[in-house]
Amino acid sequence: MEWAIQSLRDGGIGAFPTETVYGLAGDARREAVVEKIFAAKNRPYTDPLIVHVGSMEAARLVADFSPLARALANHFWPGPLTLILPKSSVIPGLVTAGKNTVAVRWPLHPVAQSILKNGELVLAAPSANAFGRVSPTRPKHVLKDLEGRIDFVLDGGPTGWGLESTVLDVSENRKWRLYRPGPVSAEELQAWVQAHAPGTAIEAFGIATSPEHSQPSPGLLPRHYSPDTPLKLVSDEEVPEVIESLEKGTQGFLLLTGVGPNAEFSGANLQSLSSDGTLESAARNLYALLHQLDRGGISLIYVQRFPETGLGVALNNRLERAARR
Ligand code: TXA
Ligand code: MG
């Protein structure tokens, strides 16, 4: 970690574990470093980055907090919630794609915290994958996309949540916007708002229908999180037909949610995403299985749709986008 801190101070870029997915980090205050992050990922400059901080003081250095936004941050940070706030002048426009708002997050993972805190750094860190691809939940996923393009990968083992943070725009008073569902669920945010900010509405954004027009959050682009292998979402009702056709020799592989009553299904070409029946364990496994199936010469990945509650909303959101071609 000391070596990584030195590398980051010297203007290097490298991957570190967070509690959601691995991030590709570099000094958010230096334009030349931020340019290297975009280049390594092949990410278009129109898609802004999240700035990671290791304290509330660092957060206030990069963004302006309304009293309500500060209370919200105090409640959910450190943790998997990214807040969109008015940006301060220490952050170059390249980080925010020219917007006057900046995405900020204080991660919970001990390795990320130690780098940020001990290095006294503020780090721009998108997920450490090539643009549009499946996010990395293990070091080997990072290397698959970025080996030779970055200075280091810090190995913190598999990440805890396995899905990217929730993105909430709180830059306007009374009208907050949920751009990306994630580990902090809409229900939890709504409960907090009801208790602490009655009169503030949370508007949920769906997946953008057209990539052409300028999006409020460019990460809403329809096609994202995609494996090379085509992916198809199937409903509970469709699962038996898919299994039957796989048994008859149709090429493909089926991932079952594992959270409903599907323990009775078994077969060579199917697997459950959740070993213990929880959405949390399904989220932890999803990207690792997609990375693995992508290398396995499979022609089509079927995935059973999750129930639309809690983390299931975030899981379906990623899968719907992975399914677009
Ligand atoms: O869990 C995570 O958030 C991970 C870890 C590494 O922290 N990071 C991550 O970053 O997923 P990235 O770059 O893959 O996703 C950032 C999302 C994108 O959808 C981007 O469009 C949106 O945040 N975003 C960033 N700045 C924004 C802004 N100023 N306004 C609206 N959306 C913004
Ligand atoms: Mg990403």
Side-chain angles (χ1 to χ4, degrees), residues 16 18 20-24 41 43 47-50 52 82 84 95-96 99 101-103 105 125-127 129 135 163-165 167 169 179-180 216-220 224-225:
F16 69 169
T18 80
T20 57
V21 299
Y22 277 76
L24 173 56
K41 282 184 57 101
R43 180 171 175 126
D47 195 357
L49 308 181
I50 298 175
H52 293 64
T82 294
I84 311 283
V95 170
T96 65
K99 288 172 181 289
T101 54
V102 61
R105 172 164 117 76
S127 51
N129 51 279
S135 292
L163 273 190
E164 306 78 3
S165 63
V167 178
D169 187 337
Y179 292 143
R180 183 170 72 181
S217 180
L220 296 170
H224 217 91
Y225 309 100

Side-chain angles (χ1 to χ4, degrees), residues 13-63:
I13 58 170
F16 69 169
T18 80
E19 74 277 25
T20 57
V21 299
Y22 277 76
L24 173 56
D27 189 339
R29 285 175 280 201
R30 279 190 268 177
E31 205 164 70
V33 173
V34 177
E35 258 171 34
K36 288 202 281 185
I37 295 176
F38 279 99
K41 282 184 57 101
N42 266 326
R43 180 171 175 126
Y45 285 130
T46 47
D47 195 357
L49 308 181
I50 298 175
V51 175
H52 293 64
V53 296
S55 67
M56 216 43 216
E57 293 76 68
R60 283 207 298 271
L61 196 73
V62 301

Side-chain angles (χ1 to χ4, degrees), residues 60-107:
R60 283 207 298 271
L61 196 73
V62 301
D64 288 336
F65 284 76
S66 68
L68 259 191
R70 191 179 308 187
L72 180 78
N74 282 334
H75 183 79
F76 287 101
W77 283 356
L81 176 65
T82 294
L83 298 179
I84 311 283
L85 295 152
K87 115 185 196 355
S88 86
S89 57
V90 304
I91 298 300
L94 190 59
V95 170
T96 65
K99 288 172 181 289
N100 54 15
T101 54
V102 61
V104 190
R105 172 164 117 76
W106 177 358

Side-chain angles (χ1 to χ4, degrees), residues 276-291:
D276 61 5
T278 65
L279 288 166
E280 283 75 14
S281 97
R284 262 195 308 279
N285 291 329
L286 176 65
Y287 288 164
L289 279 166
L290 292 181
H291 279 287

